[in-house]
Amino acid sequence: MSEITPEIIASHGFTTDEYNKVLEIMGRQPNMTELGIFSVMWSEHCSYKSSKKWLKTLPTEAPWVICGPGENAGIIDIGDGQAAVFKMESHNHPSYIEPYQGAATGVGGILRDVFTMGARPVANLNALRFGSTDHPKTRHLVSGVVAGVGGYGNCVGVPTVGGECEFHKSYNGNILVNAMTVGIADQDKIFYSAATGSGNPIVYVGSKTGRDGIHGATMASTEFSEDSDAKRPTVQVGDPFTEKLLIEACLELMQTDCIIGIQDMGAAGLTSSSFEMASKGGVGVELDLDKIPQREADMTAYEMMLSESQERMLMVLRPGTEAKAQAIFKKWELDFSVCGHLTDSGHMVLKHHGEVVADLPIDPLALASPEYDRPWVATAKPRPLDLATSPEPDDLLASLLQMMGSPALASKRWIWEQYDHMVMGDTLGHGRPGGDAALVRVHGTKKALAMTSDCTPRYCYADPVEGGRQVVAETWRNITATGATPLAITDNMNFGNPEKPEIMGQFVGCCEGMSEACLALDYPVVSGNVSLYNETNGQGIHPTPTIGGVGLIADASKSVGIGFTDADLAIVLIGDSKGHLGCSLYLELVENREEGAPPPVDLSAERKNGDFVRSQILSGSVAACHDLSDGGLLVALAEMALAGHRGAKLTPPALAIPIHAWAFGEDQSRYLVTTINPEQLIAEARSKGVSASQLGRTTGTDIEITGHGSLAVETIRQAHEAWMPAFMN
């Protein structure tokens, strides 16, 4: 047995105080296996020690929430005895080191979080952030990550229906790969992870355990340095075909009464799954590691407990049902092994080759995981941009063309065409990638789930509180723009090193803004993930609290997409235009400036405008709808024109702001809609206290702005579609 030296303690990520707490809990020095178990359970990735305090401030309850944070995934009521189960999780560090497997196993892990609760996965989304397009690693990372996401999702037979992709230099040393899965379950067939009943058998199912992923959770809890490539062995290897078998076997077993508790083996593998199940159920665990199916010879207890091999689950079964369960897993050609039993000792006891190799008290270890109130400083509020410093462009539509062909706004078709977004046959036509939110029919019904992921990191960097408000509001708008009612979110909090007060201040500020928006919009947080230490050689990423939103529309036939559906429809703007250019894409792309304050979010206007737009869609008054966000009014108009293969003529109103601020300002709470009866829609808006004005009409083949010329939609399309294939070639 290795001697526990100060170097070994430090390499396992312990501070002096944390290791002293280990000694206090154990009453003796731990052996290497025990030290490794403490290390992963107390890692940032598993224990949330820097973020717990602030996550508790987020609203998590609503009448339709069945299960909030604390389980594998969140669960909401979608009527008819059915539930939507969903979560988003990061696989950032592994994807930077080994992009294909890092991204693939990120998809596999989030799928398991959903089907372990009894839900059949019906959709995947992903939010990808890469470094600058001129960084030497960016193209390689994009290629590998996209292939990994598509390779796993396509093979497992779950459609990838939405997401986002962004490029910015702050991600040069730390890309972000955030994966989200949405599933559907019957409310009377939901499964939880708590293990109960002393003597009940513990069963290992799925793939064999290997040496891949050892200390993956610990790696995800530290900054990168120059030697990050040396961490390739800690990246897991995925097998989507085994995952497909595992989904079917688990869902089949869930139709029986065999299962008491079930947990997927994600970060920290066998350790976290057994610990979490036992701690939630208030029981002890005894495992015989000789019974763990192994694909490599001479694996140690340390390696087996810390391996993050994929496609594995841990279950507690009712006594006497082992043979019934084994027959199901044998049919699906998966490993099945009764590897231990629950006890009433409150300890985890591990045996290997007939000897006890670890004996750890479960609750003291789980409940004593560190919780830090880290020092933080609020981000200084940026000064609003003085519009006088932003000269009017010579050619408004040339600026639009430049923006639409830029990495920030260009079509990401090259990415999503590698994903099967139609498998399972329930992805609705105008809810495919490229719209505001994806729409996936609840199989065999009229209703559909709307889902989206979003974040505007440049806002969060400039003003975390305002950015936090905006990211929640943006996903709420995306869902609303389809006609669906937003119900709940999952969050993926990607930040730099929390030991730096300014980074911790970004986290605190984003949580504050998110909380305010969730409360104002009745849009609680039901699940999520925190990814800290996204930092390389001291350079942190922009704060990126990615939000995945899910909503419901009772009759999917009433939903709308973003594309213009017909000629000679009125184009109506909902919401006020104040010409906010601070932190805007126009400023960044056309003027090469990143400055100013982000647009303020008026949450009462957000709620009022969105509820009005949704009511108009459901009443059949609106033919197409698109929320206004990145790039403002003209970018939204161009995206609607591209999606509908037709043009538009707009006449700017009398303006108290420069024309380019009207065209490209990123004021919030706004939508563009098309309608056959603008007078009625505008009158109804005014009766509800909602600002609405007709700007123009849909036309033939060009976008024409009165007084500023015209631009062919096909010219925009060429620029919009050309950038990504050219970059990847």
Side-chain angles (χ1 to χ4, degrees), residues 144-189:
V145 164
V146 171
V149 169
Y152 205 99
N154 296 354
C155 291
V156 93
V158 176
T160 300
V161 297
E164 49 180 339
C165 173
E166 181 181 10
F167 299 90
H168 190 273
K169 63 188 177 190
S170 80
Y171 306 104
N172 280 351
N174 265 93
I175 64 172
L176 302 184
V177 175
N178 296 172
M180 175 176 170
T181 293
V182 182
I184 294 173
D186 291 332
Q187 291 183 24
D188 60 355
K189 285 286 185 187

Side-chain angles (χ1 to χ4, degrees), residues 66 75-79 81-85 119 183-187 190:
I66 295 172
I75 309 176
I76 56 173
D77 184 347
I78 58 169
Q82 293 178 304
V85 181
I184 294 173
D186 291 332
Q187 291 183 24
I190 291 170

Side-chain angles (χ1 to χ4, degrees), residues 185-476:
D186 291 332
Q187 291 183 24
D188 60 355
K189 285 286 185 187
I190 291 170
F191 290 82
Y192 297 98
S193 57
T196 55
S198 180
N200 285 346
I202 300 169
V203 175
Y204 171 117
V205 299
S207 284
K208 289 179 167 60
T209 294
R211 291 188 169 95
D212 52 326
I214 293 172
H215 270 303
T218 313
M219 175 190 73
S221 307
T222 55
E223 277 188 40
F224 274 164
S225 59
E226 297 295 356
D227 67 349
S228 61
D229 277 1
K231 294 178 178 171
R232 283 183 194 279
T234 59
V235 175
Q236 310 88 330
V237 178
D239 177 358
F241 299 105
T242 300
E243 180 105 341
K244 174 63 174 168
L245 300 177
L246 189 60
I247 291 173
E248 299 306 331
C250 286
L251 292 179
E252 183 175 335
L253 185 62
M254 286 165 171
Q255 295 305 308
T256 71
D257 63 350
C258 297
I259 299 172
I260 289 174
I262 179 169
Q263 175 79 27
D264 83 297
M265 293 193 219
L270 198 50
T271 289
S272 66
S273 54
S274 55
F275 250 94
E276 286 169 16
M277 292 178 80
S279 181
K280 284 176 183 170
V283 293
V285 165
E286 186 172 307
L287 293 178
D288 181 353
L289 298 182
D290 297 335
K291 302 274 180 68
I292 300 297
Q294 298 159 51
R295 68 165 181 257
E296 298 184 46
D298 303 321
M299 288 190 73
T300 64
Y302 179 100
E303 290 170 330
M304 279 186 270
M305 292 306 292
L306 269 59
S307 166
E308 292 184 11
S309 293
Q310 298 292 289
E311 294 90 36
R312 303 179 301 157
M313 311 285 272
L314 204 62
M315 299 179 182
V316 174
L317 299 182
R318 295 186 196 285
T321 64
E322 297 92 331
K324 187 177 183 180
Q326 183 167 11
I328 290 172
F329 281 87
K330 185 176 181 182
K331 180 181 90 172
W332 291 101
E333 299 180 346
L334 294 166
D335 276 289
F336 178 100
S337 174
V338 179
C339 61
H341 60 272
L342 300 181
T343 68
D344 57 9
S345 69
H347 277 238
M348 171 181 275
V349 176
L350 305 179
K351 293 183 175 176
H352 194 211
H353 302 323
E355 293 183 11
V356 173
V357 292
D359 185 344
L360 299 139
I362 289 172
D363 269 355
L365 188 159
L367 301 178
S369 70
E371 180 172 339
Y372 294 128
D373 184 1
R374 294 205 184 273
W376 61 277
V377 293
T379 303
K381 290 278 185 188
R383 291 175 59 181
L385 184 78
D386 180 357
L387 282 180
T389 68
S390 176
E392 193 174 308
D394 295 335
D395 186 335
L396 200 65
L397 290 172
S399 295
L400 173 65
L401 189 64
Q402 176 188 343
M403 292 170 68
M404 292 298 288
S406 70
L409 290 171
S411 168
K412 304 304 186 292
R413 181 187 299 275
W414 183 92
I415 293 177
W416 57 255
E417 280 192 339
Q418 296 185 49
Y419 305 153
D420 188 339
H421 49 274
M422 297 304 290
V423 67
M424 299 180 86
D426 282 315
T427 309
L428 298 182
H430 54 244
R432 298 175 193 176
D436 280 328
L439 286 161
V440 177
R441 186 186 295 105
V442 178
H443 193 71
T445 73
K446 290 168 65 177
K447 63 191 177 189
L449 295 176
M451 54 196 79
T452 185
S453 78
D454 226 305
C455 189
T456 313
R458 63 183 186 278
Y459 293 175
C460 296
Y461 181 69
D463 184 338
V465 178
E466 209 65 77
R469 286 191 198 110
Q470 191 273 342
V471 62
V472 172
E474 165 108 9
T475 65
W476 191 85

Side-chain angles (χ1 to χ4, degrees), residues 543-668:
T544 311
T546 310
I547 299 292
V550 174
L552 179 71
I553 185 165
D555 183 352
S557 68
K558 294 182 176 179
S559 64
V560 298
I562 71 168
F564 291 147
T565 55
D566 219 335
D568 206 32
L569 292 176
I571 299 169
V572 175
L573 172 68
I574 306 294
D576 289 318
S577 294
K578 296 173 182 169
H580 197 103
L581 285 178
C583 280
S584 68
L585 276 185
Y586 174 85
L587 207 66
E588 181 182 323
L589 299 174
V590 178
E591 298 189 20
N592 202 25
R593 300 158 66 193
E594 293 185 38
E595 58 190 85
V601 181
D602 179 338
L603 291 167
S604 62
E606 195 72 64
R607 182 68 189 255
K608 189 168 56 175
N609 294 0
D611 287 349
F612 172 74
V613 165
R614 190 183 314 107
S615 71
Q616 293 297 306
I617 293 171
L618 295 178
S619 72
S621 302
V622 166
C625 180
H626 192 11
D627 86 302
L628 271 61
S629 55
D630 287 345
L633 176 64
L634 280 199
V635 166
L637 182 83
E639 288 169 345
M640 295 178 85
L642 290 170
H645 295 271
R646 65 183 72 246
K649 180 175 182 179
L650 257 57
T651 301
L655 293 168
I657 52 175
I659 184 69
H660 66 297
W662 171 80
F664 302 116
E666 295 182 6
D667 305 287
Q668 299 294 294

